[in-house]
Amino acid sequence: MARFPCHSWSAVLLLTLAARAMGAIDCNLVGEGEQESKAEKAVLASLAPLRNKVFSQRIHGTDNDYTYKFTVCGTAGNTSGPGAGLVQIDNKNGQKETVLGRIEDTRIFNGSDWIMLIYRKGEKYDTHCNQEERTARVMISCNRNTIGDNFMMLNEERGKVEDCFYLFEMDSSVACPPVDVRLSVGSILLIVFALLVALYLIVGFLYQRLVVGAKGMEQIPNYSFWQDLGNLMADGCDFACRSKLRNVTTAYRGVGDDQLGEEQEERDDHLLPM
């Protein structure tokens, strides 16, 4: 029976541990295998462009100084262990990390232009909310101009007996609905008209050149018609737009006797009998 060297077993063990670690740092929806919601899995898959990205915000006040770090289906903290998807870092207390939500218990749903990602199983409260586990909710709103930006903490709801949560928001294009590209009736008509014009010019050009034997500008189909079209349009514009009347009736003016010339004396001697 062949035996593997000790270093080979070590390599296999390291690969196994690495594979388990990789499997551990991934969002785990409610249910296992076929029991997981297909709708949730589809929404979670749409967040793929945000993976391996860490978003953070620092809130500095008089009494506190916190930094919040968030990642999608990954580890955001440095000392909180794998799976801490959203953490709070106390900058005044030696960078102490508090896990607000873990990806091992993930909820997700969406609307027309937003996605709500929920991490549960955070560290327990000390005195608030009946010492329940913390929960982080991240509202991802549609913004087509960025993959992910404007991450900020909005509110901490801890005044209740249960169901307390931290609320965050951020902008991302992954929450936007797909763009429905449809041509309008007018666009379709314009495309058809352009195709017909192109077909008319190509076929007419080939006919004039190959059959008729035309050269130069005469190769343009119906060249005489297009040549006269400009004049016809100019005449139509002149007829419709010009305000000056063409045929102006001359105003009647009376004629005085002084304006009449001297009448020549009519001689009718030739009419007298001889």
Side-chain angles (χ1 to χ4, degrees):
M1 180 178 179
R3 295 184 178 181
F4 290 98
C6 182
H7 61 82
S8 299
W9 286 110
S10 300
V12 173
L13 179 60
L14 289 175
L15 290 174
T16 304
L17 293 176
R20 290 182 178 179
M22 291 178 63
I25 53 174
D26 196 8
C27 286
N28 185 22
L29 301 173
V30 177
E32 296 182 359
E34 297 298 329
Q35 296 180 356
E36 292 182 351
S37 170
K38 293 182 179 180
E40 285 188 338
K41 292 172 67 175
V43 178
L44 187 61
S46 68
L47 298 182
L50 297 179
R51 296 202 178 199
N52 301 321
K53 298 180 183 294
V54 178
F55 305 95
S56 64
Q57 181 201 20
R58 183 171 182 175
I59 300 179
H60 181 71
T62 305
D63 300 329
N64 51 47
D65 184 2
Y66 293 126
T67 298
Y68 295 92
K69 288 187 175 182
F70 162 67
T71 185
V72 175
C73 299
T75 300
N78 298 322
T79 62
S80 304
L86 209 157
V87 298
Q88 179 192 67
I89 302 174
D90 191 347
N91 299 314
K92 287 188 175 182
N93 191 13
Q95 302 292 309
K96 178 185 177 182
E97 292 186 2
T98 301
V99 180
L100 305 185
R102 297 185 180 275
I103 63 177
E104 64 187 53
D105 191 347
T106 302
R107 309 286 193 277
I108 189 170
F109 54 92
N110 68 329
S112 60
D113 58 353
W114 54 267
I115 297 175
M116 177 67 77
L117 180 65
I118 303 174
Y119 290 155
R120 302 172 64 90
K121 289 190 177 181
E123 295 184 22
K124 292 184 178 181
Y125 284 99
D126 295 330
T127 56
H128 301 286
C129 303
N130 201 22
Q131 297 183 338
E132 70 176 4
E133 295 177 333
R134 288 175 170 85
T135 298
R137 302 181 181 181
V138 183
M139 171 71 78
I140 305 174
S141 302
C142 170
N143 186 343
R144 298 188 185 277
N145 298 322
T146 179
I147 292 295
D149 199 4
N150 299 326
F151 172 75
M152 64 180 63
M153 190 267 196
L154 296 181
N155 183 36
E156 178 188 3
E157 178 55 74
R158 63 178 187 178
K160 303 188 296 182
V161 178
E162 59 182 3
D163 294 331
C164 298
F165 59 88
Y166 291 79
L167 180 61
F168 300 83
E169 73 171 359
M170 66 175 294
D171 297 335
S172 177
S173 59
V174 300
C176 298
V179 179
D180 188 10
V181 180
R182 293 183 180 180
L183 294 177
S184 63
V185 177
S187 299
I188 295 175
L189 293 177
L190 288 176
I191 293 174
V192 173
F193 175 75
L195 292 175
L196 292 176
V197 170
L199 182 63
Y200 161 75
L201 292 176
I202 294 173
V203 174
F205 174 82
L206 294 176
Y207 177 81
Q208 291 291 109
R209 182 179 180 85
L210 301 179
V211 178
V212 180
K215 301 294 183 180
M217 299 296 292
E218 297 294 334
Q219 298 175 95
I220 300 176
N222 302 108
Y223 175 69
S224 59
F225 168 77
W226 297 114
Q227 193 176 32
D228 294 338
L229 181 61
N231 295 329
L232 295 175
M233 294 176 64
D235 292 341
C237 181
D238 180 71
F239 177 79
C241 301
R242 292 189 182 277
S243 59
K244 183 179 179 180
L245 298 178
R246 291 181 176 81
N247 299 323
V248 179
T249 304
T250 304
Y252 173 78
R253 293 183 302 174
V255 180
D257 294 340
D258 56 342
Q259 295 176 331
L260 297 177
E262 295 182 359
E263 295 183 359
Q264 296 181 358
E265 182 181 357
E266 294 183 1
R267 302 185 65 84
D268 52 359
D269 296 342
H270 62 285
L271 299 178
L272 296 175
M274 298 301 294

